[in-house]
Amino acid sequence: MIAIEQVSKSYNGKTKAVDGLSLTIPNGEIFGFLGPNGAGKTTTIKMITGITRPDEGSITINGLNIEEDPLGAKKQFGYVPDSPDLFLRLKGLEYLNFMADLYEVPKALRQERIRTLAERFDLGQALADPIQSYSHGMRQKIMIMGVLIHDPAVWILDEPLTGLDPKSSYTLKEMMREHADSGKTVFFSTHVLEVAEKLCDRVAIINKGALLFSGSFKEMQEHFRSSDSLERLFLELTNHD
Amino acid sequence: MIKTLVLARVLLKNGTGRSKKGRRGSKLPLHLLLPVVLVVAFLPLMLTISRFLGMMYDSLAPHGQQGIIVGLAVGLVSLMVFLFGLIYVINVFFFSQDVEHLLPLPLTPREILSAKFLVTLLYEYLTAFLVLGPVLITYGVKSGGGPLYYIYSLLVFLLLPVIPLVVASVLAMIIMRFTNMAKHKDRYRTIGGTLAVVFALGANLFFQRGARNGVDPEQLQEMLIAGDNSMVRLVTGMFPSSRMAADALTRTSSLGGLASLLLFAGVTVLLYLLFLALGRKLYFRSVMGLSESSAKRAAVTSEQLARETAPRTAFASYLLKELRILFRTPPYFLNCVLMSVLWPVIISIPLLAQGGALPFGSLSDMLLESGAGGLVLAGGVGLFLFVSGGNYTAPTALSREGAGLYVNKFLPIRPRVLLLAKLATGWLLTMVTVVLLLVVGLFVLHVPPLLLLLLLVLGAAASLFSCLTGILIDLHLPKLNWDTEQKAVKQNLNGLYNMLLCILLAVLLFFAVLKLDIGMWGSFGVLLVIMLAADYALYRVLVTKGEEWFRNIEQ
Ligand SMILES: Nc1ncnc2c1ncn2[C@@H]1O[C@H](COP(=O)(O)OP(=O)(O)OP(=O)(O)O)[C@@H](O)[C@H]1O
Ligand SMILES: [Mg+2]
């Protein structure tokens, strides 16, 4: 579970990227985070993961405050950033082992997970090569593997589906479903509303750093008394001014 | 033509790594300053060459053979331009990141090729000037050449690098087109860079030796004239056109000289046009076939998996990651790793050039007896501070992370562990330098073992100091906003700040020891206590305040 309470963040004291945001991401659900470009999604995720500090408000992950107990909180989640161009000079396997070391995954377990994950993402042939030689989607996949290697309770993914081929995208969605169904948390941002509509149990829509709506798609349709698709509702909501 | 010039300007700017948004004020001076700085840095070398040449001239003039100097120089420079050209061309034409952006633009192959050629040529002029400058001037002065001679010199200087560069370019294009070297980009850049540095050092050694030992006229005469002119022939033979250039320079007053010059210019233009024609066919194909890096795409075996998944502590794992990246990223390798090995080499060159038979052993014995051992220790510490302060590993530790620094913030690793791992990486590399210097001390200078042992202890403390200050400086002023790794190290002033700080400490320590005058052991104690205290204080700052500073770095 992720609890965000009254969080605000501004860059250079001017742009308010996130403005008094409160949001609870419950266990056992896939939670979609939607909003136009520059809405503040990445900024929110960066605050949850301890990359930037909020100006105000507090964030807890499974009850652990990211500012008071950063190490404990960080071990609760796995985070896939929006740009996968990291650790390019390391080989895939070296990167995975580095992540396993930091998350203190026992040897037998890490081998087991590397094997199954590589199989699921069809990356077994590339593990001995430098990440620099990977395609965009492959880089995305190796980043996801590095995060899942410690089997985190909370998954936080920033636009994870861009660049994945249909099969990998399907696999990832399937894994997200399994993870949520086992009572854990999946939180991800996306621009693909069809995916959000089908995959998410609940969505939050933000614009200009403020929450516009949070709830299930059903609740949304009831709220607006319409049977429109998520896409239409989204466009209506975010086009207000 | 205008498009070509505009493009060349853009490429040149990109190469020096300053974005348009950068500090406007420093724009012009830096642009003009670089060549000046280079010339000043190489002035000693140029003066040595010049002196060497002067002696050569004097010993050849009586035989009327002084023209050989120009022939030799012109041939040598052609060869040099060709060798460096191979490296430059491959970097500028193929490995620079702008290639991918240029291809989709509406530019003709001719424009792109010409612009890139021009950029490379400018680099070559810098290199060529180092050798050709002293030669042409020395020869002009000695032979009492008139204005015509200097006009000819300028023309030859401008034209000379073109042909070898054309040859290097065509060769490079063929290599890139028909081999898979492009796939091993990193390896090539590392090897190329290392060779260039080694070549420069070798040349330095050669000239220093030559100038110091003096030139035996008989010997030279034998080598250059009485022999079958093999040396000159070999050097000028590689680029027959350079004979015309040499001829033009040595016969400025006659019509034959003018004819040679015109012929030389004509051949140059002709070959350049040939290059453009060939480039059209070769360049675009070879560039489009460039893939970023090599990949075997072979499945990982169970043994490999078992071997490469050995668990490590967070500290060890992070240290290993740092070292891997340092060794595998060419600019980091050249500026951080290679430099730590090169300092001892650079320092021992003048010693070796002396013949290595100097009575340093007895000198240091004498120093020990006369109670100057303290000064030897202080001098050693100064040297260690200077060389390890000049190492870029610690002062760019955070800068090297660049845009990816944020990764360190969401990974479950304490900032202090991460900072200490980075510190250890820097210390490891600076200790390599310290140990190698001590090896030079042992084998070349014959320093007594006891003194070496004391120096080792002090060296460890001194290099640790330089790494601590380096990391603390970088924590305050990380340069994270770069797009090529080159800029993270080469254009990072933190290394310079750190070196200045370390030199300052070195000077202070030296004068303290000089003033105190308390013998070898007393000096050892004072130096060690001061440095350990400084190390401990800085360490405390790093693990307390440093953590806070690290958290405050926002991107
Ligand atoms: N490092 C930064 N410095 C200054 N302003 C920033 C920075 N990062 C983001 N912003 C600003 O904060 C606001 C929110 O940006 P954010 O990246 O959170 O948007 P986003 O919802 O993730 O958008 P996208 O859908 O395009 O990824 C934007 O106005 C952006 O310009
Ligand atoms: Mg974003």
Side-chain angles (χ1 to χ4, degrees), chain A residues 9 53 74 79 81 89 94 97 101 103 107 111 125 129 133, chain B residues 186 296-298 306 308-309 312 317 328 406 409 412 485 552:
Chain A
K9 170 81 191 175
R53 277 196 276 190
K74 284 174 187 174
Y79 164 53
R89 309 271 169 181
E94 289 169 353
N97 207 44
D101 281 337
Y103 287 98
K107 179 165 181 168
Q111 288 186 8
Q125 299 286 317
D129 292 324
S133 73
Chain B
D186 279 359
K296 289 187 284 292
R297 297 289 184 260
E308 294 194 18
T309 50
R312 295 184 187 87
S317 199
R328 290 179 191 171
Y406 73 91
K409 299 205 176 178
E485 288 133 345
N552 284 337

PDB file of all heavy atoms in Angstrom, chain A residues 9 53 74 79 81 89 94 97 101 103 107 111 125 129 133, chain B residues 186 296-298 306 308-309 312 317 328 406 409 412 485 552:
ATOM      1  N   LYS A   9       5.099  19.804  -4.450  1.00  0.00           N
ATOM      2  CA  LYS A   9       6.490  19.917  -4.904  1.00  0.00           C
ATOM      3  C   LYS A   9       6.561  20.978  -5.991  1.00  0.00           C
ATOM      4  O   LYS A   9       5.780  20.963  -6.932  1.00  0.00           O
ATOM      5  CB  LYS A   9       6.952  18.572  -5.469  1.00  0.00           C
ATOM      6  CG  LYS A   9       8.282  18.623  -6.181  1.00  0.00           C
ATOM      7  CD  LYS A   9       9.420  18.580  -5.197  1.00  0.00           C
ATOM      8  CE  LYS A   9      10.745  18.893  -5.849  1.00  0.00           C
ATOM      9  NZ  LYS A   9      11.820  18.964  -4.858  1.00  0.00           N
ATOM     10  N   ARG A  53      12.656  15.115  -2.854  1.00  0.00           N
ATOM     11  CA  ARG A  53      11.946  15.272  -1.593  1.00  0.00           C
ATOM     12  C   ARG A  53      10.771  16.206  -1.781  1.00  0.00           C
ATOM     13  O   ARG A  53      10.908  17.268  -2.398  1.00  0.00           O
ATOM     14  CB  ARG A  53      12.909  15.842  -0.544  1.00  0.00           C
ATOM     15  CG  ARG A  53      13.744  14.741   0.069  1.00  0.00           C
ATOM     16  CD  ARG A  53      14.381  15.210   1.329  1.00  0.00           C
ATOM     17  NE  ARG A  53      15.606  15.923   1.026  1.00  0.00           N
ATOM     18  CZ  ARG A  53      16.485  16.277   1.957  1.00  0.00           C
ATOM     19  NH1 ARG A  53      16.250  16.012   3.220  1.00  0.00           N
ATOM     20  NH2 ARG A  53      17.590  16.901   1.622  1.00  0.00           N
ATOM     21  N   LYS A  74      12.573   1.672   0.805  1.00  0.00           N
ATOM     22  CA  LYS A  74      13.051   1.347  -0.543  1.00  0.00           C
ATOM     23  C   LYS A  74      13.053  -0.154  -0.804  1.00  0.00           C
ATOM     24  O   LYS A  74      12.968  -0.588  -1.952  1.00  0.00           O
ATOM     25  CB  LYS A  74      14.450   1.917  -0.753  1.00  0.00           C
ATOM     26  CG  LYS A  74      14.443   3.414  -0.999  1.00  0.00           C
ATOM     27  CD  LYS A  74      15.843   3.978  -1.058  1.00  0.00           C
ATOM     28  CE  LYS A  74      15.796   5.495  -1.121  1.00  0.00           C
ATOM     29  NZ  LYS A  74      17.146   6.088  -1.025  1.00  0.00           N
ATOM     30  N   TYR A  79      11.178  -0.190  -8.619  1.00  0.00           N
ATOM     31  CA  TYR A  79      10.800   0.957  -9.442  1.00  0.00           C
ATOM     32  C   TYR A  79      11.437   0.844 -10.825  1.00  0.00           C
ATOM     33  O   TYR A  79      12.638   0.646 -10.955  1.00  0.00           O
ATOM     34  CB  TYR A  79      11.237   2.245  -8.728  1.00  0.00           C
ATOM     35  CG  TYR A  79      11.275   3.478  -9.577  1.00  0.00           C
ATOM     36  CD1 TYR A  79      10.160   3.859 -10.330  1.00  0.00           C
ATOM     37  CD2 TYR A  79      12.401   4.284  -9.630  1.00  0.00           C
ATOM     38  CE1 TYR A  79      10.184   5.000 -11.108  1.00  0.00           C
ATOM     39  CE2 TYR A  79      12.433   5.426 -10.405  1.00  0.00           C
ATOM     40  CZ  TYR A  79      11.321   5.784 -11.147  1.00  0.00           C
ATOM     41  OH  TYR A  79      11.357   6.907 -11.919  1.00  0.00           O
ATOM     42  N   PRO A  81      12.124   3.147 -13.931  1.00  0.00           N
ATOM     43  CA  PRO A  81      12.039   4.537 -14.386  1.00  0.00           C
ATOM     44  C   PRO A  81      11.559   4.656 -15.833  1.00  0.00           C
ATOM     45  O   PRO A  81      11.532   3.655 -16.556  1.00  0.00           O
ATOM     46  CB  PRO A  81      13.467   5.046 -14.240  1.00  0.00           C
ATOM     47  CG  PRO A  81      14.323   3.888 -13.920  1.00  0.00           C
ATOM     48  CD  PRO A  81      13.490   2.687 -13.702  1.00  0.00           C
ATOM     49  N   ARG A  89      27.056   0.277 -19.751  1.00  0.00           N
ATOM     50  CA  ARG A  89      28.338  -0.423 -19.919  1.00  0.00           C
ATOM     51  C   ARG A  89      28.389  -1.749 -19.187  1.00  0.00           C
ATOM     52  O   ARG A  89      29.386  -2.453 -19.298  1.00  0.00           O
ATOM     53  CB  ARG A  89      29.489   0.437 -19.426  1.00  0.00           C
ATOM     54  CG  ARG A  89      29.490   1.813 -19.977  1.00  0.00           C
ATOM     55  CD  ARG A  89      30.255   1.887 -21.261  1.00  0.00           C
ATOM     56  NE  ARG A  89      29.999   3.182 -21.868  1.00  0.00           N
ATOM     57  CZ  ARG A  89      30.491   3.585 -23.013  1.00  0.00           C
ATOM     58  NH1 ARG A  89      31.267   2.795 -23.693  1.00  0.00           N
ATOM     59  NH2 ARG A  89      30.193   4.756 -23.496  1.00  0.00           N
ATOM     60  N   GLU A  94      25.514  -8.793 -15.257  1.00  0.00           N
ATOM     61  CA  GLU A  94      26.204  -8.004 -14.230  1.00  0.00           C
ATOM     62  C   GLU A  94      25.239  -7.030 -13.550  1.00  0.00           C
ATOM     63  O   GLU A  94      25.276  -6.839 -12.338  1.00  0.00           O
ATOM     64  CB  GLU A  94      27.365  -7.231 -14.848  1.00  0.00           C
ATOM     65  CG  GLU A  94      28.525  -8.116 -15.252  1.00  0.00           C
ATOM     66  CD  GLU A  94      29.553  -7.385 -16.106  1.00  0.00           C
ATOM     67  OE1 GLU A  94      29.289  -6.219 -16.499  1.00  0.00           O
ATOM     68  OE2 GLU A  94      30.606  -7.967 -16.385  1.00  0.00           O
ATOM     69  N   ASN A  97      22.929  -8.925 -11.236  1.00  0.00           N
ATOM     70  CA  ASN A  97      23.614  -9.321 -10.007  1.00  0.00           C
ATOM     71  C   ASN A  97      23.862  -8.131  -9.093  1.00  0.00           C
ATOM     72  O   ASN A  97      23.769  -8.242  -7.874  1.00  0.00           O
ATOM     73  CB  ASN A  97      24.935 -10.010 -10.357  1.00  0.00           C
ATOM     74  CG  ASN A  97      25.350 -10.972  -9.280  1.00  0.00           C
ATOM     75  OD1 ASN A  97      24.527 -11.725  -8.766  1.00  0.00           O
ATOM     76  ND2 ASN A  97      26.614 -10.935  -8.894  1.00  0.00           N
ATOM     77  N   ASP A 101      22.553  -7.869  -5.345  1.00  0.00           N
ATOM     78  CA  ASP A 101      23.427  -7.570  -4.207  1.00  0.00           C
ATOM     79  C   ASP A 101      22.822  -6.471  -3.336  1.00  0.00           C
ATOM     80  O   ASP A 101      22.799  -6.565  -2.118  1.00  0.00           O
ATOM     81  CB  ASP A 101      24.810  -7.104  -4.703  1.00  0.00           C
ATOM     82  CG  ASP A 101      25.675  -8.273  -5.143  1.00  0.00           C
ATOM     83  OD1 ASP A 101      25.408  -9.393  -4.671  1.00  0.00           O
ATOM     84  OD2 ASP A 101      26.590  -8.054  -5.945  1.00  0.00           O
ATOM     85  N   TYR A 103      19.756  -5.551  -3.058  1.00  0.00           N
ATOM     86  CA  TYR A 103      18.528  -5.970  -2.387  1.00  0.00           C
ATOM     87  C   TYR A 103      18.740  -7.227  -1.553  1.00  0.00           C
ATOM     88  O   TYR A 103      17.787  -7.799  -1.041  1.00  0.00           O
ATOM     89  CB  TYR A 103      17.400  -6.179  -3.405  1.00  0.00           C
ATOM     90  CG  TYR A 103      16.857  -4.890  -3.977  1.00  0.00           C
ATOM     91  CD1 TYR A 103      17.287  -4.409  -5.206  1.00  0.00           C
ATOM     92  CD2 TYR A 103      15.932  -4.127  -3.266  1.00  0.00           C
ATOM     93  CE1 TYR A 103      16.797  -3.225  -5.729  1.00  0.00           C
ATOM     94  CE2 TYR A 103      15.429  -2.940  -3.780  1.00  0.00           C
ATOM     95  CZ  TYR A 103      15.861  -2.496  -5.016  1.00  0.00           C
ATOM     96  OH  TYR A 103      15.369  -1.315  -5.523  1.00  0.00           O
ATOM     97  N   LYS A 107      21.834 -16.289  -3.048  1.00  0.00           N
ATOM     98  CA  LYS A 107      22.368 -16.741  -4.323  1.00  0.00           C
ATOM     99  C   LYS A 107      21.427 -17.671  -5.085  1.00  0.00           C
ATOM    100  O   LYS A 107      21.149 -17.475  -6.268  1.00  0.00           O
ATOM    101  CB  LYS A 107      23.719 -17.428  -4.103  1.00  0.00           C
ATOM    102  CG  LYS A 107      24.302 -17.941  -5.416  1.00  0.00           C
ATOM    103  CD  LYS A 107      25.760 -18.287  -5.305  1.00  0.00           C
ATOM    104  CE  LYS A 107      26.254 -18.758  -6.667  1.00  0.00           C
ATOM    105  NZ  LYS A 107      27.662 -18.885  -6.817  1.00  0.00           N
ATOM    106  N   GLN A 111      19.564 -16.821  -8.780  1.00  0.00           N
ATOM    107  CA  GLN A 111      19.743 -17.628 -10.004  1.00  0.00           C
ATOM    108  C   GLN A 111      18.398 -18.089 -10.540  1.00  0.00           C
ATOM    109  O   GLN A 111      18.116 -18.000 -11.736  1.00  0.00           O
ATOM    110  CB  GLN A 111      20.618 -18.836  -9.698  1.00  0.00           C
ATOM    111  CG  GLN A 111      22.058 -18.468  -9.472  1.00  0.00           C
ATOM    112  CD  GLN A 111      22.944 -19.678  -9.302  1.00  0.00           C
ATOM    113  OE1 GLN A 111      22.493 -20.805  -9.507  1.00  0.00           O
ATOM    114  NE2 GLN A 111      24.181 -19.459  -8.934  1.00  0.00           N
ATOM    115  N   GLN A 125      19.192 -14.923 -24.322  1.00  0.00           N
ATOM    116  CA  GLN A 125      20.282 -14.854 -25.283  1.00  0.00           C
ATOM    117  C   GLN A 125      21.127 -13.595 -25.120  1.00  0.00           C
ATOM    118  O   GLN A 125      22.205 -13.509 -25.674  1.00  0.00           O
ATOM    119  CB  GLN A 125      19.718 -14.868 -26.708  1.00  0.00           C
ATOM    120  CG  GLN A 125      18.942 -16.114 -27.068  1.00  0.00           C
ATOM    121  CD  GLN A 125      19.869 -17.288 -27.295  1.00  0.00           C
ATOM    122  OE1 GLN A 125      20.896 -17.156 -27.930  1.00  0.00           O
ATOM    123  NE2 GLN A 125      19.508 -18.446 -26.765  1.00  0.00           N
ATOM    124  N   ASP A 129      25.624  -9.987 -22.918  1.00  0.00           N
ATOM    125  CA  ASP A 129      26.035  -8.831 -23.721  1.00  0.00           C
ATOM    126  C   ASP A 129      25.850  -7.532 -22.945  1.00  0.00           C
ATOM    127  O   ASP A 129      25.023  -7.452 -22.048  1.00  0.00           O
ATOM    128  CB  ASP A 129      25.194  -8.769 -24.998  1.00  0.00           C
ATOM    129  CG  ASP A 129      25.511  -9.922 -25.925  1.00  0.00           C
ATOM    130  OD1 ASP A 129      26.677 -10.321 -25.979  1.00  0.00           O
ATOM    131  OD2 ASP A 129      24.579 -10.425 -26.567  1.00  0.00           O
ATOM    132  N   SER A 133      24.130  -2.759 -26.107  1.00  0.00           N
ATOM    133  CA  SER A 133      23.782  -3.397 -27.373  1.00  0.00           C
ATOM    134  C   SER A 133      22.307  -3.774 -27.439  1.00  0.00           C
ATOM    135  O   SER A 133      21.880  -4.355 -28.425  1.00  0.00           O
ATOM    136  CB  SER A 133      24.642  -4.649 -27.570  1.00  0.00           C
ATOM    137  OG  SER A 133      24.221  -5.679 -26.696  1.00  0.00           O
TER     138      SER A 133
ATOM    139  N   ASP B 186      34.091   0.923 -28.553  1.00  0.00           N
ATOM    140  CA  ASP B 186      34.733   1.234 -27.283  1.00  0.00           C
ATOM    141  C   ASP B 186      36.169   0.754 -27.251  1.00  0.00           C
ATOM    142  O   ASP B 186      37.076   1.477 -26.859  1.00  0.00           O
ATOM    143  CB  ASP B 186      33.977   0.582 -26.121  1.00  0.00           C
ATOM    144  CG  ASP B 186      32.776   1.410 -25.744  1.00  0.00           C
ATOM    145  OD1 ASP B 186      32.578   2.463 -26.379  1.00  0.00           O
ATOM    146  OD2 ASP B 186      32.045   0.991 -24.842  1.00  0.00           O
ATOM    147  N   LYS B 296      27.148 -10.793 -28.690  1.00  0.00           N
ATOM    148  CA  LYS B 296      27.319 -12.177 -29.098  1.00  0.00           C
ATOM    149  C   LYS B 296      25.975 -12.887 -29.196  1.00  0.00           C
ATOM    150  O   LYS B 296      25.771 -13.747 -30.002  1.00  0.00           O
ATOM    151  CB  LYS B 296      28.212 -12.906 -28.085  1.00  0.00           C
ATOM    152  CG  LYS B 296      29.658 -12.446 -28.167  1.00  0.00           C
ATOM    153  CD  LYS B 296      30.570 -13.277 -27.289  1.00  0.00           C
ATOM    154  CE  LYS B 296      30.459 -12.942 -25.821  1.00  0.00           C
ATOM    155  NZ  LYS B 296      30.954 -11.636 -25.413  1.00  0.00           N
ATOM    156  N   ARG B 297      25.071 -12.476 -28.306  1.00  0.00           N
ATOM    157  CA  ARG B 297      23.754 -13.104 -28.271  1.00  0.00           C
ATOM    158  C   ARG B 297      23.855 -14.617 -28.130  1.00  0.00           C
ATOM    159  O   ARG B 297      23.314 -15.362 -28.916  1.00  0.00           O
ATOM    160  CB  ARG B 297      22.937 -12.755 -29.520  1.00  0.00           C
ATOM    161  CG  ARG B 297      22.619 -11.284 -29.663  1.00  0.00           C
ATOM    162  CD  ARG B 297      21.610 -10.805 -28.657  1.00  0.00           C
ATOM    163  NE  ARG B 297      21.275  -9.409 -28.894  1.00  0.00           N
ATOM    164  CZ  ARG B 297      21.784  -8.392 -28.194  1.00  0.00           C
ATOM    165  NH1 ARG B 297      22.623  -8.632 -27.211  1.00  0.00           N
ATOM    166  NH2 ARG B 297      21.423  -7.164 -28.452  1.00  0.00           N
ATOM    167  N   ALA B 298      24.613 -15.021 -27.118  1.00  0.00           N
ATOM    168  CA  ALA B 298      24.709 -16.442 -26.821  1.00  0.00           C
ATOM    169  C   ALA B 298      24.080 -16.690 -25.458  1.00  0.00           C
ATOM    170  O   ALA B 298      24.204 -15.862 -24.556  1.00  0.00           O
ATOM    171  CB  ALA B 298      26.169 -16.878 -26.798  1.00  0.00           C
ATOM    172  N   ALA B 306      26.175 -19.482 -12.447  1.00  0.00           N
ATOM    173  CA  ALA B 306      26.610 -19.757 -11.076  1.00  0.00           C
ATOM    174  C   ALA B 306      27.798 -18.875 -10.726  1.00  0.00           C
ATOM    175  O   ALA B 306      27.894 -18.324  -9.631  1.00  0.00           O
ATOM    176  CB  ALA B 306      26.979 -21.229 -10.924  1.00  0.00           C
ATOM    177  N   GLU B 308      28.729 -15.969 -12.102  1.00  0.00           N
ATOM    178  CA  GLU B 308      28.521 -14.522 -12.114  1.00  0.00           C
ATOM    179  C   GLU B 308      27.406 -14.047 -11.201  1.00  0.00           C
ATOM    180  O   GLU B 308      26.987 -12.904 -11.278  1.00  0.00           O
ATOM    181  CB  GLU B 308      28.265 -14.060 -13.550  1.00  0.00           C
ATOM    182  CG  GLU B 308      29.513 -14.268 -14.408  1.00  0.00           C
ATOM    183  CD  GLU B 308      29.450 -13.538 -15.726  1.00  0.00           C
ATOM    184  OE1 GLU B 308      28.631 -12.625 -15.854  1.00  0.00           O
ATOM    185  OE2 GLU B 308      30.218 -13.910 -16.623  1.00  0.00           O
ATOM    186  N   THR B 309      26.909 -14.916 -10.361  1.00  0.00           N
ATOM    187  CA  THR B 309      25.882 -14.456  -9.432  1.00  0.00           C
ATOM    188  C   THR B 309      26.358 -14.578  -7.993  1.00  0.00           C
ATOM    189  O   THR B 309      25.558 -14.705  -7.079  1.00  0.00           O
ATOM    190  CB  THR B 309      24.575 -15.251  -9.600  1.00  0.00           C
ATOM    191  OG1 THR B 309      24.891 -16.638  -9.584  1.00  0.00           O
ATOM    192  CG2 THR B 309      23.866 -14.907 -10.884  1.00  0.00           C
ATOM    193  N   ARG B 312      27.654 -10.348  -3.092  1.00  0.00           N
ATOM    194  CA  ARG B 312      28.651  -9.454  -2.495  1.00  0.00           C
ATOM    195  C   ARG B 312      27.921  -8.466  -1.594  1.00  0.00           C
ATOM    196  O   ARG B 312      26.718  -8.281  -1.721  1.00  0.00           O
ATOM    197  CB  ARG B 312      29.384  -8.653  -3.576  1.00  0.00           C
ATOM    198  CG  ARG B 312      30.215  -9.493  -4.487  1.00  0.00           C
ATOM    199  CD  ARG B 312      30.988  -8.630  -5.476  1.00  0.00           C
ATOM    200  NE  ARG B 312      31.639  -9.497  -6.447  1.00  0.00           N
ATOM    201  CZ  ARG B 312      31.055  -9.916  -7.562  1.00  0.00           C
ATOM    202  NH1 ARG B 312      29.830  -9.523  -7.853  1.00  0.00           N
ATOM    203  NH2 ARG B 312      31.692 -10.721  -8.380  1.00  0.00           N
ATOM    204  N   SER B 317      29.860  -4.593  -4.157  1.00  0.00           N
ATOM    205  CA  SER B 317      29.154  -4.633  -5.428  1.00  0.00           C
ATOM    206  C   SER B 317      29.203  -3.266  -6.106  1.00  0.00           C
ATOM    207  O   SER B 317      29.400  -3.159  -7.317  1.00  0.00           O
ATOM    208  CB  SER B 317      27.705  -5.049  -5.187  1.00  0.00           C
ATOM    209  OG  SER B 317      27.123  -5.516  -6.353  1.00  0.00           O
ATOM    210  N   ARG B 328      35.525   0.415 -18.788  1.00  0.00           N
ATOM    211  CA  ARG B 328      34.867   0.144 -20.071  1.00  0.00           C
ATOM    212  C   ARG B 328      34.464   1.388 -20.835  1.00  0.00           C
ATOM    213  O   ARG B 328      34.109   1.298 -22.000  1.00  0.00           O
ATOM    214  CB  ARG B 328      33.620  -0.700 -19.817  1.00  0.00           C
ATOM    215  CG  ARG B 328      33.953  -2.098 -19.389  1.00  0.00           C
ATOM    216  CD  ARG B 328      32.700  -2.880 -19.117  1.00  0.00           C
ATOM    217  NE  ARG B 328      33.028  -4.133 -18.452  1.00  0.00           N
ATOM    218  CZ  ARG B 328      32.117  -4.932 -17.933  1.00  0.00           C
ATOM    219  NH1 ARG B 328      30.837  -4.619 -18.009  1.00  0.00           N
ATOM    220  NH2 ARG B 328      32.479  -6.045 -17.345  1.00  0.00           N
ATOM    221  N   TYR B 406      20.001   9.854 -10.342  1.00  0.00           N
ATOM    222  CA  TYR B 406      18.807   9.577  -9.538  1.00  0.00           C
ATOM    223  C   TYR B 406      18.674   8.100  -9.183  1.00  0.00           C
ATOM    224  O   TYR B 406      18.059   7.761  -8.182  1.00  0.00           O
ATOM    225  CB  TYR B 406      17.557  10.062 -10.270  1.00  0.00           C
ATOM    226  CG  TYR B 406      17.151   9.225 -11.447  1.00  0.00           C
ATOM    227  CD1 TYR B 406      16.262   8.161 -11.277  1.00  0.00           C
ATOM    228  CD2 TYR B 406      17.641   9.467 -12.725  1.00  0.00           C
ATOM    229  CE1 TYR B 406      15.886   7.374 -12.347  1.00  0.00           C
ATOM    230  CE2 TYR B 406      17.276   8.690 -13.797  1.00  0.00           C
ATOM    231  CZ  TYR B 406      16.395   7.652 -13.607  1.00  0.00           C
ATOM    232  OH  TYR B 406      16.039   6.863 -14.668  1.00  0.00           O
ATOM    233  N   LYS B 409      19.427   7.153  -5.856  1.00  0.00           N
ATOM    234  CA  LYS B 409      18.542   7.623  -4.795  1.00  0.00           C
ATOM    235  C   LYS B 409      17.395   6.670  -4.532  1.00  0.00           C
ATOM    236  O   LYS B 409      16.836   6.679  -3.441  1.00  0.00           O
ATOM    237  CB  LYS B 409      18.013   9.005  -5.154  1.00  0.00           C
ATOM    238  CG  LYS B 409      19.134  10.005  -5.289  1.00  0.00           C
ATOM    239  CD  LYS B 409      18.639  11.382  -5.032  1.00  0.00           C
ATOM    240  CE  LYS B 409      19.775  12.358  -5.072  1.00  0.00           C
ATOM    241  NZ  LYS B 409      19.279  13.718  -4.873  1.00  0.00           N
ATOM    242  N   PRO B 412      18.222   0.774  -2.645  1.00  0.00           N
ATOM    243  CA  PRO B 412      18.321   0.690  -1.188  1.00  0.00           C
ATOM    244  C   PRO B 412      19.773   0.626  -0.727  1.00  0.00           C
ATOM    245  O   PRO B 412      20.228  -0.390  -0.237  1.00  0.00           O
ATOM    246  CB  PRO B 412      17.584  -0.606  -0.863  1.00  0.00           C
ATOM    247  CG  PRO B 412      17.791  -1.450  -2.064  1.00  0.00           C
ATOM    248  CD  PRO B 412      17.867  -0.526  -3.235  1.00  0.00           C
ATOM    249  N   GLU B 485      30.179  11.289 -22.426  1.00  0.00           N
ATOM    250  CA  GLU B 485      30.965  10.990 -21.225  1.00  0.00           C
ATOM    251  C   GLU B 485      32.232  11.834 -21.162  1.00  0.00           C
ATOM    252  O   GLU B 485      32.717  12.164 -20.083  1.00  0.00           O
ATOM    253  CB  GLU B 485      31.326   9.506 -21.210  1.00  0.00           C
ATOM    254  CG  GLU B 485      30.129   8.631 -20.905  1.00  0.00           C
ATOM    255  CD  GLU B 485      30.004   7.473 -21.855  1.00  0.00           C
ATOM    256  OE1 GLU B 485      30.660   7.499 -22.921  1.00  0.00           O
ATOM    257  OE2 GLU B 485      29.236   6.545 -21.553  1.00  0.00           O
ATOM    258  N   ASN B 552      20.687  16.350  -1.229  1.00  0.00           N
ATOM    259  CA  ASN B 552      20.226  17.648  -1.732  1.00  0.00           C
ATOM    260  C   ASN B 552      20.510  17.879  -3.215  1.00  0.00           C
ATOM    261  O   ASN B 552      20.061  18.870  -3.766  1.00  0.00           O
ATOM    262  CB  ASN B 552      20.859  18.778  -0.924  1.00  0.00           C
ATOM    263  CG  ASN B 552      20.195  18.906   0.425  1.00  0.00           C
ATOM    264  OD1 ASN B 552      19.044  18.482   0.597  1.00  0.00           O
ATOM    265  ND2 ASN B 552      20.902  19.455   1.388  1.00  0.00           N
TER     266      ASN B 552
END
